[in-house]
Amino acid sequence: MHVRFETPHQYVFIHENVKHLLLVWSKDSKKQLFIAEDEEDALVLRYPGEVYTETVLEQVEPVFFLDLEGGVEAVLGATFYHQGRLIGMYYDKKNPSGPPYFFEIEKGSPEEIPDEEYQEVVKTFAEEFPEYVAEKPEA
């Protein structure tokens, strides 16, 4: 079974180790958030309630979409912790299977990760989410 939404704006992302589906209804400027659970060959959506939705959206909305150099529109794919710091993994909205981008999320704002730490962040992501990494990251 395939489900299609009337909106072209649906995003699956992981936050606090929970997979979510965010639907953005541009017509009504409304957002809906669901917890997405994998069950066999299906993605089961569960509405988590208003308080949960408001809490998660408050945490991720300010950093969900980024405009990067070169005209890249990046979308939050996952959050995870590296050495006690919150990191966001982003993907190119137009090329989701392309290389990911990583930023530290500090005080609700994405910050660049120093070059000398970047590979360690990539390695942590690969360890946390091996199902999303096609090959081992290069050292």
Side-chain angles (χ1 to χ4, degrees):
M1 174 197 311
H2 296 282
V3 177
R4 294 178 193 234
F5 296 97
E6 290 179 342
T7 174
H9 310 287
Q10 57 261 343
Y11 307 97
V12 175
F13 68 99
I14 298 170
H15 180 61
E16 298 292 341
N17 294 315
V18 177
K19 187 182 284 187
H20 297 87
L21 171 70
L22 175 65
L23 296 175
V24 180
W25 302 91
S26 50
K27 200 178 197 183
D28 304 326
S29 297
K30 183 178 180 177
K31 295 178 176 93
Q32 289 180 299
L33 185 74
F34 297 91
I35 292 177
E37 298 170 339
D38 293 309
E39 288 185 12
E40 295 177 22
D41 291 340
L43 191 63
V44 176
L45 304 179
R46 186 170 51 85
Y47 179 66
E50 200 170 316
V51 172
Y52 181 91
T53 297
E54 288 174 4
T55 301
V56 171
L57 288 179
E58 185 177 290
Q59 292 170 358
V60 300
E61 252 185 324
V63 296
F64 202 81
F65 299 103
L66 298 180
D67 290 323
L68 304 178
E69 290 181 18
V72 174
E73 294 176 70
V75 178
L76 183 67
T79 61
F80 61 99
Y81 286 91
H82 171 75
Q83 297 179 351
R85 299 174 4 230
L86 184 62
I87 305 294
M89 183 283 291
Y90 290 82
Y91 61 91
D92 184 340
K93 184 177 180 179
K94 294 177 186 160
N95 182 19
S97 60
Y101 306 92
F102 296 92
F103 292 90
E104 180 177 356
I105 299 173
E106 189 175 353
K107 299 179 186 171
S109 176
E111 302 291 333
E112 292 212 18
I113 297 168
D115 290 343
E116 61 272 9
E117 295 177 35
Y118 201 86
Q119 283 296 43
E120 284 300 314
V121 168
V122 172
K123 184 178 176 186
T124 299
F125 176 77
E127 290 168 358
E128 289 275 328
F129 303 101
E131 65 274 21
Y132 297 107
V133 179
E135 2 178 303
K136 278 287 223 190
E138 295 179 18

